[in-house]
Amino acid sequence: MKLAPSEEQLMNYLWKLEKAFMKDLLEAYPDPKPAPTTVATLLKRMTEKKFVAFKTFGNSREYYPLIKKSAYFSKQVKGIIKNFFDNSPSQFASFFTSETDLSQEELEELKQLIDRQIENKKQ
């Protein structure tokens, strides 16, 4: 299941905070801040989608993520590769490196990362 852009934004704040009450999440937003009812609606939807859970303390709820950011991001990238690049990581890499205007230094860093992964796979 995928999060809507507004849910992803809120989820990023929750991932950063690790656990948070409504007031903490509202403070994380830049100005102009959304209405508390908007954030409450997003949290309700995200809870229904099983991305977020909460513990109740009196009248307050402390929210926490049920999925790690890396797991969510990995699933989204795999979906992009499947849906837009015929399930070909090579096509994705080719597009990414040619269309994102990376500097030579950034390309070298990517090459080093790939070389390290190749070495790890050999072991």
Side-chain angles (χ1 to χ4, degrees):
M1 191 168 289
K2 185 168 176 19
L3 294 168
S6 57
E7 294 169 338
E8 282 183 355
Q9 181 183 23
L10 179 55
M11 196 70 188
N12 272 311
Y13 298 138
L14 193 52
W15 279 319
K16 187 175 182 179
L17 295 167
E18 296 180 4
K19 57 185 177 177
F21 292 96
M22 173 73 77
K23 66 176 180 59
D24 303 318
L25 292 168
L26 284 167
E27 286 174 14
Y29 278 91
D31 289 327
K33 297 184 184 303
T37 53
T38 301
V39 175
T41 300
L42 291 172
L43 287 166
K44 182 177 187 248
R45 287 194 327 223
M46 292 160 63
T47 300
E48 290 168 354
K49 290 179 178 182
K50 306 284 190 233
F51 281 96
V52 172
F54 59 86
K55 293 179 185 172
T56 304
F57 296 92
N59 292 334
S60 298
R61 291 178 174 178
E62 183 180 49
Y63 295 91
Y64 57 93
L66 291 174
I67 184 170
K68 292 182 179 187
K69 186 176 185 175
S70 59
Y72 179 76
F73 185 68
S74 176
K75 187 172 183 173
Q76 298 312 307
V77 170
K78 287 177 184 175
I80 289 169
I81 292 170
K82 179 181 178 188
N83 295 326
F84 294 100
F85 298 97
D86 298 324
N87 215 21
S88 170
S90 297
Q91 285 182 21
F92 171 74
S94 175
F95 177 85
F96 177 75
T97 56
S98 63
E99 297 296 324
T100 55
D101 199 28
L102 296 171
S103 69
Q104 182 176 346
E105 183 179 319
E106 291 167 324
L107 288 167
E108 287 292 336
E109 287 176 23
L110 281 175
K111 184 178 181 292
Q112 289 173 9
L113 288 169
I114 292 168
D115 288 344
R116 272 186 254 141
Q117 286 299 318
I118 290 169
E119 285 300 314
N120 289 342
K121 297 279 183 187
K122 288 180 181 178
Q123 296 175 3

